[in-house]
Amino acid sequence: MAFDPNEPMKDRITDIGPPHYEQFFPPVIKENYGKWKYHEILEPGVLIHVSETGAEVYTVRVGGVRLMSVDFIRETCEIADKHCDGYLRFTTRNNIEFMVDDKAKLQPLIDDLKSRKFEAGSNKFPIGGTGAGITN
């Protein structure tokens, strides 16, 4: 697959444009794309989304930081791997949303997020930013 100057377009691989966002959806989101009936805020930062098919997704929104260290991103990914099958979402305002497809997974996720604190004692992943909550 070496470059051939006589056929410069043969076997050409480009990186023009980002990959389509749909390939990064969690399976439950992909299966129910365009079929969501409603959502409710269960408590500040915790939402339930219900599909026409009956599928439910629970979202926990946490405040992110404007400048994220590699360690913070690794910890965020560790949480997503542990509770959310490796999926997470960054909002346009740098908050982080963890999504689970089973109510039984919701409370362990919330407990894990609340247990993670900075050395000074403040929450690393403060839950909120929806409804009457404050966002980043």
Side-chain angles (χ1 to χ4, degrees):
M1 184 159 138
F3 176 73
D4 183 355
N6 297 323
E7 293 185 62
M9 300 304 281
K10 182 179 179 190
D11 298 326
R12 183 170 181 237
I13 299 173
T14 67
D15 61 353
I16 298 171
H20 196 273
Y21 60 86
E22 191 175 88
Q23 76 186 50
F24 302 109
F25 283 163
V28 68
I29 301 293
K30 190 178 282 191
E31 293 163 6
N32 293 283
Y33 190 77
K35 300 176 187 170
W36 299 103
K37 286 184 359 185
Y38 65 93
H39 70 274
E40 294 177 12
I41 299 173
L42 301 177
E43 60 186 74
V46 181
L47 296 94
I48 180 175
H49 309 269
V50 180
S51 169
E52 294 169 355
T53 65
E56 296 178 340
V57 173
Y58 297 87
T59 302
V60 180
R61 181 179 290 178
V62 299
V65 294
R66 297 273 183 226
L67 299 173
M68 295 186 187
S69 69
V70 171
D71 290 333
F72 184 84
I73 293 170
R74 284 185 179 139
E75 188 170 359
T76 302
C77 292
E78 172 193 323
I79 294 166
D81 286 341
K82 183 176 178 183
H83 298 283
C84 309
D85 300 323
Y87 293 97
L88 61 90
R89 183 180 99 81
F90 286 92
T91 69
T92 56
R93 296 203 170 126
N94 299 325
N95 291 312
I96 305 163
E97 289 185 346
F98 296 99
M99 296 166 283
V100 294
D101 57 1
D102 183 1
K103 190 170 186 169
K105 297 178 183 178
L106 180 61
Q107 196 58 50
L109 170 60
I110 292 171
D111 293 342
D112 189 1
L113 293 168
K114 287 182 176 179
S115 73
R116 295 173 187 257
K117 303 202 182 279
F118 289 109
E119 287 181 27
S122 62
N123 291 318
K124 280 187 181 180
F125 299 95
I127 298 171
T130 58
I134 297 176
T135 188
N136 175 347

